[in-house]
Amino acid sequence: MTAVRGEVVILASRYTGDAEPGLRIGQACRRALHSAYSVGLTLAVDAALAQRVSLCAAGPLARKGEELQISLGEGPCVQALSQRAQVLVADLDDPEATRHWPVFAQQAKAHYIRAAYALPILHGADAAGQAGLALTLYRHRPGPISEADLQVAQDHADAADLLLLTTPVPSQDELVHAWLLPAEAVVHQAIGMISYRHSLSTGQALALLRAHAHTQSTPLPSLARAVVHDHFTLLDPPASENGEG
């Protein structure tokens, strides 16, 4: 990140040493905005953007918005990070604006999210292929975001980045547990069962569960309950178990 504004440095200094800097920055951002938004902060910890952690869900819309983006693997923050550009969608009913994340748009609207604005922060002189951070604003009514609120959001995103630059990248197991904080306990159980059944790491089990939920347009907790309680399997058994081969 280059040419950091003085206001950003001052803002970041208020939360230096905080146990949950991402959460505090997101909450501060929500208070500072001129209009009513919910605020989410997502960290992509690998260059392929395959592993993401929601660091903050401040406000009534953010928890579901962040959960959908993590579980579906699509949404405004994913697009913003992959394209390395702001994604400002004033109306989720606009199919052209949401063509990169149609499933997210459909499910987000069912939870009263009508507009979303994602601001990515990427590291390095050439940020292509690098992990990154994205701050997403969610709103219950359509309409463009004001320049004043866009600047507030950008300052808080930059401040979060300054703080998180000194935070160690989580291990795979830490990543799974961090991602599961807003989720139901049954998701954790399902990941453990998938990992055991198919000799996968917890990260691979999470990726498999999320991919299946995405392709079937099924909420992640619902799929997890099917795995845990209905013995639903995500992978076909080996041919030998079917008497083939």
Side-chain angles (χ1 to χ4, degrees), residues 47 62 76 116 133 151 159:
L133 183 73
Q151 185 62 66

Side-chain angles (χ1 to χ4, degrees), residues 11 15 23-33 58 152 156:
L11 179 60
Y15 303 97
L23 176 61
R24 302 297 174 227
I25 284 289
Q27 292 172 334
C29 179
R30 186 165 184 252
R31 291 193 298 269
L33 292 164
V152 167
H156 283 78

Side-chain angles (χ1 to χ4, degrees), residues 50-236:
Q51 299 185 83
R52 296 175 298 279
V53 176
S54 178
L55 303 175
C56 171
L61 302 180
R63 181 176 293 274
K64 178 53 66 173
E66 292 292 288
E67 177 186 314
L68 286 173
Q69 294 201 85
I70 296 295
S71 63
L72 294 173
E74 67 172 46
C77 94
V78 180
Q79 181 184 342
L81 286 168
S82 62
Q83 295 185 347
R84 305 185 299 282
Q86 293 181 356
V87 175
L88 309 177
V89 177
D91 191 345
L92 265 62
D93 278 327
D94 181 353
E96 178 61 25
T98 63
R99 68 186 186 279
H100 295 290
W101 29 280
V103 178
F104 172 89
Q106 179 185 30
Q107 295 193 20
K109 287 186 293 183
H111 290 87
Y112 309 106
I113 299 172
R114 296 300 310 280
Y117 319 88
L119 288 66
I121 305 296
L122 297 152
H123 303 144
D126 179 8
Q130 299 298 312
L133 183 73
L135 185 146
T136 306
L137 304 181
Y138 305 93
R139 194 165 65 180
H140 73 280
R141 59 181 176 84
I145 185 173
S146 69
E147 288 297 327
D149 279 338
L150 194 59
Q151 185 62 66
V152 167
Q154 188 67 66
D155 284 348
H156 283 78
D158 289 341
D161 190 49
L162 282 179
L163 290 169
L164 293 171
L165 282 174
T166 61
T167 302
V169 173
S171 68
Q172 187 179 71
D173 285 340
E174 289 172 334
L175 172 65
V176 171
H177 290 296
W179 174 84
L180 284 172
L181 287 177
E184 298 181 30
V186 70
V187 179
H188 193 176
Q189 293 177 281
I191 289 172
M193 292 178 69
I194 295 167
S195 176
Y196 176 78
R197 286 175 183 170
H198 304 294
S199 300
L200 301 174
S201 70
T202 54
Q204 290 170 327
L206 170 58
L208 179 62
L209 188 68
R210 189 173 66 193
H212 197 89
H214 177 84
T215 57
Q216 299 299 318
S217 299
T218 302
L220 204 65
S222 297
L223 179 60
R225 282 191 287 273
V227 171
V228 173
H229 300 300
D230 302 330
H231 307 290
F232 181 78
T233 58
L234 305 183
L235 293 175
D236 292 330

